[in-house]
């Protein structure tokens, strides 16, 4: 086992788009696990859009990252030392201490995973928090029901691609997605089974959505906000539901973004907009794995991963998520 543990620290709070100067790759001692802890050699770590919010000091649903300390995020790896009952050396666990090579983790905060049941990386994506976000947001927050027409923004991303496929597998009448490149649009229709998709850079979102969903939408799963939300409200059917998962279009904004100009349409449609956090829906975890796991194993539900190699490229992978470089889940392999 090496003596040095490389880890990423937040050096200053970004204003607008984060830059490499806001971060530092620091060498530290490999920690020794205390009572009730395990030492994990991280094999895969997650980078996600929500991490941008934690880099700001503004009060939010989760505490900001502390300056000059290692950041956090989902990770999965092998236990190389244990001072805890129930978790042995050689076990693999999922935990929340990414952005580093080695992590000392309280056993109560580590979840054992089976690398033989599914590839380790999937526990950070399609079978992990990402997948549960899609499942809970669509089925509980948006109250999806068979026959609904569904629109998903950021549909080629890790969450969006799963939302569209779950909707299709559960009997949606039409599934429409938006993405940021023609290549991603092709992926949505040819691999993920979306009925229609469009490149939001090719014209006004409202016009492209009306063409893709001429009969309107019953459910909108929002990963983007901004013009996508306004377009969805404009196409919302009677009793339509909007689940707000993310708003990546404004994450780097330095000025408040204007709200949709057509909110009054919700009166006419009796529409509902509701935000949600996956942390409020962990009671669905077992149901989610039982239903989605077989779809993944059978190939009915497909997934993509964009894998970046090396802890030294962890930051670039994160910045890539904000740019939309990834197709599916962005993961760093250490």
């Amino acid at each position: 086992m090496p003596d040095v543990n490389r880890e990423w620290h937040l050096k200053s709070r970004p204003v607008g788009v984060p830059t490499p100067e806001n971060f530092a790759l620091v060498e530290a001692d490999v920690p020794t696990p205390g009572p009730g802890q395990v030492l994990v050699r991280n094999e895969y770590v997650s980078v996600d859009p929500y991490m941008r919010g934690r880099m700001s000091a503004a009060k939010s649903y989760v505490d900001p990252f502390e300056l000059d300390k290692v950041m956090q995020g989902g990770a999965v790896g092998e236990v190389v030392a244990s001072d805890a009952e129930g978790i042995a050396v050689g076990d693999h666990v999922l935990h929340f201490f990414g952005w580093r090579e080695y992590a000392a983790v309280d056993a109560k905060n580590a979840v054992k995973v089976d690398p033989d049941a599914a590839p380790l990386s999937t526990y950070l994506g399609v079978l992990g928090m990402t997948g549960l976000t899609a499942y809970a947001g669509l089925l509980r927050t948006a109250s999806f029901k068979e026959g609904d027409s569904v629109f998903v923004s950021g549909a080629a991303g890790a969450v969006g691609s799963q939302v569209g496929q779950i909707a299709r597998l559960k009997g949606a009448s039409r599934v429409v997605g938006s993405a940021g490149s023609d290549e991603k649009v092709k992926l949505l229709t040819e691999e993920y089974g979306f009925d229609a998709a469009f490149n939001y850079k090719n014209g006004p979102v409202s016009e492209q959505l009306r063409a893709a969903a001429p009969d309107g939408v019953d459910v909108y799963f929002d990963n983007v906000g901004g013009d996508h939300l306004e377009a969805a409200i404009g196409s919302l059917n009677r009793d339509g539901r909007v689940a707000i998962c993310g708003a990546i279009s404004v994450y780097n904004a330095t000025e408040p973004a204007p709200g949709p100009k057509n909110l009054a349409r919700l009166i006419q449609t009796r529409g509902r907009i509701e935000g949600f956090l996956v942390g409020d829906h962990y009671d669905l975890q077992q149901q989610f794995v039982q239903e989605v796991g077989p779809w993944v194993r059978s190939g009915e539900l497909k997934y993509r991963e964009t894998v970046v190699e090396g802890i030294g490229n962890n930051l670039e992978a994160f910045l890539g998520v904000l740019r939309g470089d990834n197709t599916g889940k962005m993961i760093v392999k250490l």
Side-chain angles (χ1 to χ4, degrees), residues 122-323:
T122 63
Y123 294 105
L124 294 175
V126 66
L127 291 178
M129 185 175 72
T130 301
L132 181 60
T133 300
Y135 188 86
L138 177 68
L139 301 183
R140 178 175 280 174
T141 306
S143 305
F144 170 86
K145 59 184 183 298
E146 185 177 355
D148 279 343
S149 172
V150 178
F151 171 44
V152 187
S153 59
V159 172
S161 60
Q162 203 156 342
V163 171
Q165 291 183 84
I166 292 172
R168 175 176 55 79
L169 288 163
K170 293 185 78 69
S173 62
R174 188 167 182 80
V175 179
V176 175
S178 71
S181 73
D182 293 341
E183 181 182 6
K184 289 180 179 180
V185 166
K186 186 176 179 181
L187 173 71
L188 292 177
T189 56
E190 295 187 2
E191 184 167 331
Y192 292 152
F194 282 60
D195 295 291
F198 59 87
N199 182 345
Y200 66 84
K201 297 176 182 177
N202 287 349
V205 175
S206 57
E207 294 178 10
Q208 295 196 78
L209 178 58
R210 280 195 294 271
D215 296 325
V217 296
D218 301 301
V219 168
Y220 171 47
F221 193 103
D222 190 14
N223 290 305
V224 174
D227 56 354
H228 281 72
L229 178 56
E230 186 167 295
I233 293 171
S235 286
L236 210 60
N237 290 331
R238 167 74 187 262
D239 298 316
R241 289 87 68 203
V242 176
I244 305 290
C245 177
I248 197 168
S249 67
V250 300
Y251 283 170
N252 293 320
T254 56
E255 298 292 334
K261 297 189 293 289
N262 57 349
L263 282 174
R265 192 171 186 276
L266 295 173
I267 303 169
Q268 173 190 345
T269 62
R270 290 75 151 178
R272 168 169 62 85
I273 299 179
E274 184 176 343
F276 75 99
L277 293 173
V278 67
D280 296 333
H281 302 281
Y282 282 129
D283 60 297
L284 292 176
Q285 177 72 33
Q286 186 174 2
Q287 174 185 322
F288 157 67
V289 172
Q290 287 176 346
E291 185 166 20
V292 175
W295 288 339
V296 174
R297 287 191 290 275
S298 69
E300 292 175 274
L301 194 152
K302 303 181 188 302
Y303 67 95
R304 290 281 190 98
E305 294 174 339
T306 300
V307 180
V308 173
E309 299 268 352
I311 187 70
N313 291 317
N314 211 104
L315 173 60
E316 181 55 28
F318 167 72
L319 297 177
V321 168
L322 297 183
R323 293 192 298 263

Side-chain angles (χ1 to χ4, degrees), residues 5-72:
N5 185 27
R6 290 183 295 170
E7 53 188 40
W8 281 97
H9 289 202
L10 184 66
K11 299 299 293 182
S12 58
R13 302 205 179 278
V15 177
V17 179
T19 67
E21 288 71 30
N22 297 127
F23 308 87
L25 182 60
V26 174
E27 291 188 350
D29 293 334
V30 175
T32 300
Q37 289 189 326
V38 294
L39 179 64
V40 183
R41 178 177 59 81
N42 288 334
E43 296 183 43
Y44 294 93
V45 301
S46 178
V47 287
D48 303 279
Y50 80 86
M51 294 174 175
R52 175 61 185 87
R54 295 198 68 186
M55 293 170 187
S56 299
K59 186 177 181 180
S60 184
Y61 59 88
V62 65
D63 291 336
F65 291 134
E66 294 184 57
L67 292 180
D68 297 313
K69 292 191 176 178
V70 62
M71 294 181 290
Q72 299 173 345

